[in-house]
Amino acid sequence: MALNTSADAPLPVGQVSRLIGGWIDRLGSVWVEGQITQLSRRPGAGVVFLTLRDPSHDISVGVTCYRKVFDPIADVVAEGARVVVHAKPEWYAPRGQLSLRATEIKPVGIGELLARLEQLKKLLAGEGLFALDRKRPLPFLPQRIGLITGRASAAERDVLENARRRWPAVRFEVRNVAVQGVSAVAQVVQAVKDLDELPDVDVIIVARGGGSVEDLLPFSDEQLVRTVAGCRTPVVSAIGHEPDSPLLDLVADLRASTPTDAAKKVVPDVGEELVRVQHLRDRALRTVQGLMDREERGLAHTLARPVMERPHRMVDEREAEVDALVARSRRTLGHLLDRADSELSHTRARVLALSPAATLERGYAVLQRPDGGVVRSPDEVAPGDELRARVAEGEFAVRVAE
């Protein structure tokens, strides 16, 4: 309900507090879940005071209840326990303080916690936060490693000692945080964000030793899982031991079974790398030596060929072949010419034998009329005709007698 106030007509603090109290009194009872951070049970007092905190956010609220409400669970809950409270909001006007008046308190059992974690796991998996294609590969040799772990813890010692034993020059950016309890989630989330913003941090390790399901609950918190999923830097989860499996293991880019295993997977072993380098050098040397040996054998085989021993031998062989071909060509051409000459002589002899001149040489004559025609029959001439007689040595005129 809006109030009509101004700088000239303000409301007294007491009236404002009473108005707030009136609004809160109209609220009904609610079920609230949280983690007990402070618990006060004074001997003889009829009221128990405790503080209920949201483990995912830095928000707390005070809770009061009668001793008869708290006594049934007094032996099973302590500071750090998760509880569900049925309470009504109350406003303490003199101090302007909000609190909850509890009428029933129930501890959250392991089975219920595990069921909620399973529901959260299915929700985040449905969003693709655990998909394998989101996993980023770790750098071979990180320049600087971000380490989030408890202060002076065995997990911190295992990671640092094993990493430096494997690669003495490795550098760390350590963030010591609470790894269990009410402030663990907020501190781990902030440490992850801080290290992810550092440009020279190539990989982040979140490590702690083993513990109970309740101890490892901060590493299954939804806020932490989403923060790791949004990191640009690869994250390695090294929470607990092999059987432990918080949700951080599923969203991280690599899961290590222990903090020692995380150091081994993130930092290469200098001794192993030197051995690998030596093996590669030996392999490369053998490969090059094998290539050289093969080329030397090929060169020796080539030099051993007769043509390399006597470079002009090929020319000499080709010259002999050319000479043989020239001689053969000449013989062939000579044979052709001789045969042609013989054929020509025979043809000439036959021509001469059949030539009229040869006949004339034997004393015969050829009579021709003035027009050049040859007289072949006496009927072709008449007495007194002028003819030409052709003999071997020339011709002369004749007349046909009566």
Side-chain angles (χ1 to χ4, degrees):
M1 185 176 190
L3 298 176
N4 295 321
T5 62
S6 67
D8 297 328
L11 292 178
V13 173
Q15 185 177 352
V16 173
S17 181
R18 286 193 298 274
L19 289 172
I20 294 174
W23 293 333
I24 292 177
D25 285 339
R26 289 196 292 271
L27 297 175
S29 297
V30 293
W31 285 99
V32 181
E33 180 185 354
Q35 190 174 23
I36 299 176
T37 58
Q38 294 180 352
L39 178 61
S40 175
R41 298 174 60 194
R42 298 175 183 176
V47 179
V48 177
F49 298 91
L50 55 93
T51 301
L52 203 62
R53 186 178 186 278
D54 187 337
S56 299
H57 303 85
D58 192 13
I59 300 176
S60 301
V61 64
V63 179
T64 60
C65 66
Y66 291 112
R67 198 174 192 89
K68 64 179 181 179
V69 175
F70 187 81
D71 285 346
I73 62 169
D75 296 334
V76 295
V77 299
E79 291 188 1
R82 285 179 179 256
V83 294
V84 176
V85 177
H86 188 250
K88 186 180 186 304
E90 291 185 345
W91 181 258
Y92 186 60
R95 295 184 182 177
Q97 183 176 358
L98 176 67
S99 64
L100 298 176
R101 170 71 67 174
T103 58
E104 186 177 358
I105 302 177
K106 293 182 178 181
V108 178
I110 297 298
E112 187 175 356
L113 286 176
L114 293 177
R116 294 181 184 179
L117 287 180
E118 188 63 27
Q119 292 178 354
L120 179 60
K121 177 181 177 181
K122 292 180 179 179
L123 173 65
L124 298 177
E127 296 180 13
L129 269 62
F130 304 152
L132 294 178
D133 55 3
R134 294 186 66 258
K135 308 295 183 182
R136 291 157 295 188
L138 302 186
F140 168 70
L141 182 60
Q143 296 182 6
R144 188 181 294 272
I145 301 173
L147 176 60
I148 301 173
T149 186
R151 184 180 302 277
S153 62
E156 179 181 7
R157 183 178 64 255
D158 289 345
V159 173
L160 295 180
E161 289 183 358
N162 283 280
R164 287 168 179 159
R165 187 180 299 117
R166 293 171 64 83
W167 197 278
V170 67
R171 296 182 300 164
F172 278 91
E173 187 71 27
V174 181
R175 293 290 185 273
N176 294 122
V177 298
V179 292
Q180 69 182 61
V182 295
S183 59
V185 173
Q187 292 186 20
V188 173
V189 168
Q190 188 59 45
V192 170
K193 292 180 179 179
D194 292 344
L195 293 176
D196 188 48
E197 293 176 355
L198 297 178
D200 60 341
V201 172
D202 296 326
V203 62
I204 299 173
I205 300 177
V206 183
R208 70 150 287 164
S212 63
V213 175
E214 295 91 335
D215 293 338
L216 299 182
L217 281 178
F219 300 98
S220 293
D221 186 84
E222 181 177 359
Q223 182 185 4
L224 175 59
V225 171
R226 295 189 181 277
T227 300
V228 172
C231 285
R232 64 168 184 83
T233 308
V235 177
V236 177
S237 174
I239 306 302
H241 300 289
E242 189 65 38
D244 303 326
S245 183
L247 297 185
L248 180 62
D249 286 351
L250 303 178
V251 74
D253 298 286
L254 178 67
R255 177 189 182 272
S257 58
T258 62
T260 299
D261 184 49
K264 293 180 179 180
K265 290 182 176 179
V266 172
V267 181
D269 186 275
V270 63
E272 294 177 358
E273 296 306 318
L274 288 176
V275 171
R276 185 177 291 110
V277 169
Q278 187 60 44
H279 287 167
L280 291 175
R281 292 181 61 184
D282 295 341
R283 180 180 176 184
L285 181 60
R286 290 194 300 270
T287 301
V288 173
Q289 189 63 46
L291 290 175
M292 292 182 62
D293 292 342
R294 186 178 65 185
E295 295 302 321
E296 286 182 356
R297 289 193 299 270
L299 181 59
H301 178 71
T302 302
L303 292 176
R305 296 177 61 184
V307 69
M308 298 302 296
E309 295 179 353
R310 293 176 53 200
H312 295 286
R313 180 175 180 178
M314 183 181 294
V315 178
D316 296 340
E317 291 178 353
R318 301 290 88 79
E319 182 181 9
E321 292 178 3
V322 170
D323 291 342
L325 291 174
V326 170
R328 180 180 176 184
S329 300
R330 288 176 176 175
R331 289 194 302 270
T332 302
L333 182 59
H335 293 326
L336 292 175
L337 291 176
D338 292 343
R339 186 169 62 184
D341 182 67
S342 176
E343 292 179 354
L344 182 60
S345 298
H346 291 137
T347 302
R348 182 173 179 276
R350 286 173 19 215
V351 169
L352 290 177
L354 298 175
S355 172
T359 303
L360 296 178
E361 286 289 342
R362 292 196 297 270
Y364 292 91
V366 177
L367 297 177
Q368 293 179 311
R369 291 188 296 272
D371 59 0
V374 177
V375 178
R376 291 182 175 82
S377 173
D379 296 335
E380 294 179 359
V381 296
D385 288 344
E386 293 288 340
L387 300 176
R388 298 294 297 176
R390 184 177 179 181
V391 294
E393 299 296 332
E395 62 178 25
F396 54 87
V398 296
R399 180 180 291 176
V400 179
E402 295 183 0

